[in-house]
Every structure is written in C-alpha cells, then in structure tokens.
Amino acid sequence: NAGVTQTPKFQVLKTGQSMTLQCAQDMNHNSMYWYRQDPGMGLRLIYYSASEGTTDKGEVPNGYNVSRLNKREFSLRLESAAPSQTSVYFCATLYYSNQPQHFGDGTRLSIL
Amino acid sequence: AQKVTQAQTEISVVEKEDVTLDCVYETRDTTYYLFWYKQPPSGELVFLIRRNSFDEQNEISGRYSWNFQKSTSSFNFTITASQVVDSAVYFCALSAFPVSGGYQKVTFGTGTKLQVIP
C-alpha cells in the first residue's frame, strides 16, 4: 500500500526552465494539497484541491499551477522556475479535517 | 483566520532530560482539531497525535504526553527522558472545516527543531 507517492524525489533546474511535480495517492481521499517547506517557515500551502476538477489557491500560489484531472493525481507545475522556488515540496491528502494528513516523502527542488 | 505559533525555534537538551514543546493556536471555528507531527532528519512527516477541540483530556503515550488547554489556546507536547532518536523538527497543526464555507484548512506552525545531545 503506497499511500502518497511523489516524483521525482530530487531535481535541479536552471532559472527559466519548467517542470511538473507529480503526486499520486491510493487512499481514495478527496482532498489533496501541495505545500512548500523552507527553513524557519514551516509548511506553507501552495494549492489545494477539494475534489477532481477543482483547485484553489493557498497562501503562496504565485509562480505555480496545478492540475487535478482525476481523484488519484494532483500535479504541481512551475512554468518558469526562479531561484526563490528552491524548496522541499510536499504533497498531502486528507479524508476529513478530524483526521491527520497523509504526506508524500517530498521533492527536493533546487533552482540555479 | 487560523494561526499556529511555535515560539521555540530550536531547543537543545541532554539525553534523559525532559523537554516541552509549546504550541499556541488561534481560530474562530468552534470545532477544530490539533495535531503534532514529527519530521526526523530523513525528511518524512510522521503523525504523532490528534486532539479534538471538545476533548480536553490530556494524553500519555509512553515517553510522550500532550497537554491541551482550551482556556489558553495551547497544545503542548512533552517528551520525558529524551533520547537521541527524538532529535527532529516537530510541527503543531490546526485543522478545521469552516462553517462559513471554504476548504478544509490545515495550518502549520513554523516548527521546533529539537536536538538531543548524547
């Protein structure tokens, strides 16, 4: 039972390049989240998806786009990467607010 | 608006000492849930405990204990007889489904880095 799977685990990009971070879950949860984690900043919400086909902006959405084409997958796209987007990115799912979130192992992204 | 404050950025203790990690929260929702997560040096996020807003019973699990006080909006976490394996970043989080609508909002504190020195 994989839970939440993020790919890739590591990536180095040059400024201006684009890439998509993938997240897939097998828990049948409706809610999915993308966070970024920076030193001293905790986890900050980038985008959220309540269900297939719906997405909402979180605290720090600028420079990112997301796509929730089906219940399992929630992707995060950087169209033109900037050094300020160097971070660790976590995908998470949630069944209901009284339950803990389930996290992927994270993607460590460096932008030069 | 929701807010979670973990005022302690870093704490260092000597092995076998007790240590308390503080968490103070703000929310307008009457029903909410509080969580503690552990992030060891390997980077994954591990769920430790959940508490409902209407259940102020404190809990002990082995060397871990949690003190939830609604009157002070605090949900503190104590590790008794700390061990080197407890070295990690600990996050407090608040979750609610706002009655005013919107998404299931989860707000994290900035984390407390605990170093247990052998």
Side-chain angles (χ1 to χ4, degrees):
Chain A
N1 200 1
V4 181
T5 303
Q6 289 184 236
T7 54
K9 294 192 185 307
F10 302 94
Q11 185 71 48
V12 178
L13 293 177
K14 293 181 180 178
T15 298
Q17 287 185 316
S18 63
M19 83 159 292
T20 299
L21 307 185
Q22 305 286 354
C23 176
Q25 54 119 346
D26 62 4
M27 292 175 295
N28 206 35
H29 290 173
N30 282 324
S31 301
M32 296 186 74
Y33 303 73
W34 274 107
Y35 293 93
R36 60 177 289 172
Q37 182 180 16
D38 303 294
M41 303 290 285
L43 287 152
R44 293 184 293 169
L45 182 65
I46 305 171
Y47 268 93
Y48 160 83
S49 172
S51 62
E52 175 183 341
T54 69
T55 61
D56 289 289
K57 294 179 181 178
E59 184 184 352
V60 289
N62 292 343
Y64 305 95
N65 286 303
V66 290
S67 176
R68 182 88 182 271
L69 296 178
N70 56 57
K71 194 170 187 177
R72 285 191 67 248
E73 298 170 303
F74 188 35
S75 60
L76 178 72
R77 183 160 179 83
L78 287 72
E79 290 291 351
S80 179
S84 60
Q85 294 177 304
T86 293
S87 187
V88 180
Y89 291 84
F90 285 97
C91 176
T93 70
L94 181 65
Y95 174 64
Y96 193 66
S97 49
N98 65 349
Q99 300 297 315
Q101 287 178 298
H102 293 259
F103 287 88
D105 289 338
T107 295
R108 188 172 295 273
L109 182 62
S110 294
I111 298 157
L112 307 176
Chain B
Q2 291 182 177
K3 186 177 180 182
V4 176
T5 302
Q6 293 180 256
Q8 303 152 308
T9 306
E10 292 192 39
I11 301 176
S12 289
V13 298
V14 176
E15 200 170 20
K16 297 184 183 176
E17 286 184 346
D18 298 348
V19 58
T20 295
L21 309 183
D22 297 332
C23 174
V24 174
Y25 62 92
E26 296 175 28
T27 181
R28 294 178 192 163
D29 296 298
T30 54
T31 300
Y32 53 89
Y33 308 90
L34 295 161
F35 302 85
W36 276 96
Y37 292 87
K38 175 182 180 180
Q39 187 178 42
S42 50
E44 72 274 20
L45 283 148
V46 179
F47 164 68
L48 294 176
I49 193 170
R50 175 194 69 188
R51 203 25 112 227
N52 304 326
S53 56
F54 42 87
D55 178 7
E56 285 194 72
Q57 263 193 334
N58 293 319
E59 182 164 338
I60 298 174
S61 176
R63 295 185 298 106
Y64 296 169
S65 62
W66 290 270
N67 183 357
F68 175 36
Q69 290 194 327
K70 231 171 161 176
S71 60
T72 56
S73 297
S74 64
F75 185 40
N76 297 335
F77 172 30
T78 297
I79 302 174
T80 302
S82 59
Q83 299 176 1
V84 173
V85 293
D86 296 326
S87 296
V89 180
Y90 291 85
F91 290 98
C92 181
L94 169 67
S95 173
F97 202 126
V99 292
S100 57
Y103 65 92
Q104 297 184 95
K105 188 176 175 65
V106 183
T107 303
F108 283 81
T110 52
T112 297
K113 183 176 183 179
L114 173 65
Q115 184 178 16
V116 181
I117 303 164

